[in-house]
Amino acid sequence: SYELTQPPSVSVSPGQTARITCSGDALPKKYAYWYQQKSGQAPVLVIYEDSKRPSGIPERFSGSSSGTMATLTISGAQVEDEADYYCYSTDSSGNHRRVFGGGTKLTVL
Amino acid sequence: QVQLQESGPGLVKPSETLSLTCAVSGYSISSGYYWGWIRQPPGKGLEWIGSIYHSGSTYYNPSLKSRVTISVDTSKNQFSLKLSSVTAADTAVYYCAREVPTGFDYYFDYWGQGTLVTVSS
């Protein structure tokens, strides 16, 4: 079955740049998406189609993808960015399977 | 503004069927898009359960396919999830969400607040 792999945790100080990676064999063919989930809340889309930012998402959030790895970058991370981040994509084998990565806990302190 | 709201029993007995409904407001299901269910066990990550198009065509997670049924009721502007033969491993927060087909893949843009379903006798 198709999997997306993320590091369990990333830690940065406020104002530093946080980078969260997501690896998956289908990423050269499929877009990566990123969701932010704060404690007790529903996920919120922060990046779509590898690098596009939905309206209302701060400019410090950016995304990129190269080969089998996608990266979410938070430039100048703020305390309020502390959350779980999930990458998401679809299987390229034709079975239309949607897949979430295991999630990365971002700590900003 | 599109809004989704999950409803259903918060407690289900082992071996029984979990049933949830997602009411959609601010958008007509029959106008298009896919509509999906995602779950999250306590302290764990997100798992896609399945999705349905307004016409009724469905896609299910292969790991759950034998136990899942998703249906849509356009007259009530809602869609539903049934998960049979539940065990404690099915205890989770269940989210419904609108899913955007891009012609290339799919992604979820609007989510409900989620509802906790506990499987216990």
Side-chain angles (χ1 to χ4, degrees):
Chain A
S1 63
Y2 184 50
E3 294 183 352
L4 295 171
T5 302
Q6 300 179 233
S9 63
V10 168
S11 183
V12 298
S13 298
Q16 288 188 328
T17 295
R19 293 182 179 85
I20 299 172
T21 59
C22 172
S23 65
D25 290 341
L27 290 180
K29 304 176 185 178
K30 294 290 188 179
Y31 286 126
Y33 299 79
W34 291 93
Y35 291 91
Q36 175 195 68
Q37 186 181 35
K38 296 184 178 180
S39 181
Q41 298 183 19
V44 172
L45 182 70
V46 294
I47 293 291
Y48 68 102
E49 293 181 357
D50 290 346
S51 59
K52 299 178 182 177
R53 198 172 50 249
S55 61
I57 301 301
E59 291 184 7
R60 63 180 180 273
F61 288 86
S62 63
S64 62
S65 187
S66 178
T68 60
M69 183 166 290
T71 302
L72 172 69
T73 301
I74 308 172
S75 303
Q78 305 296 308
V79 173
E80 59 263 32
D81 298 331
E82 187 163 294
D84 293 322
Y85 290 85
Y86 294 90
C87 65
Y88 164 88
S89 190
T90 50
D91 196 334
S92 64
S93 64
N95 62 15
H96 301 274
R97 181 173 184 173
R98 289 68 154 162
V99 180
F100 290 93
T104 298
K105 171 65 177 178
L106 174 66
T107 301
V108 182
L109 52 71
Chain B
Q1 175 77 345
V2 180
Q3 293 184 315
L4 299 95
Q5 179 67 58
E6 307 88 350
S7 63
L11 181 64
V12 181
K13 290 182 168 55
S15 79
E16 294 189 345
T17 295
L18 178 160
S19 296
L20 295 174
T21 296
C22 182
V24 180
S25 59
Y27 187 84
S28 173
I29 284 181
S30 58
S31 295
Y33 289 97
Y34 280 80
W35 305 88
W37 289 96
I38 303 100
R39 70 179 183 179
Q40 184 172 36
K44 296 187 178 181
L46 300 166
E47 179 182 35
W48 171 66
I49 299 170
S51 300
I52 188 166
Y53 195 51
H54 68 90
S55 63
S57 62
T58 54
Y59 295 111
Y60 297 135
N61 187 325
S63 67
L64 298 169
K65 186 174 183 178
S66 63
R67 298 194 292 132
V68 173
T69 302
I70 296 176
S71 59
V72 64
D73 186 339
T74 55
S75 67
K76 295 182 178 180
N77 214 41
Q78 64 186 32
F79 60 106
S80 300
L81 167 70
K82 291 189 185 298
L83 181 65
S84 64
S85 305
V86 298
T87 68
D90 295 309
T91 294
V93 174
Y94 286 76
Y95 295 99
C96 61
R98 190 178 79 167
E99 190 171 13
V100 181
T102 67
F104 191 61
D105 50 22
Y106 314 84
Y107 69 96
F108 303 99
D109 60 351
Y110 289 97
W111 295 62
Q113 65 185 26
T115 187
L116 174 63
V117 179
T118 301
V119 179
S120 175
S121 55

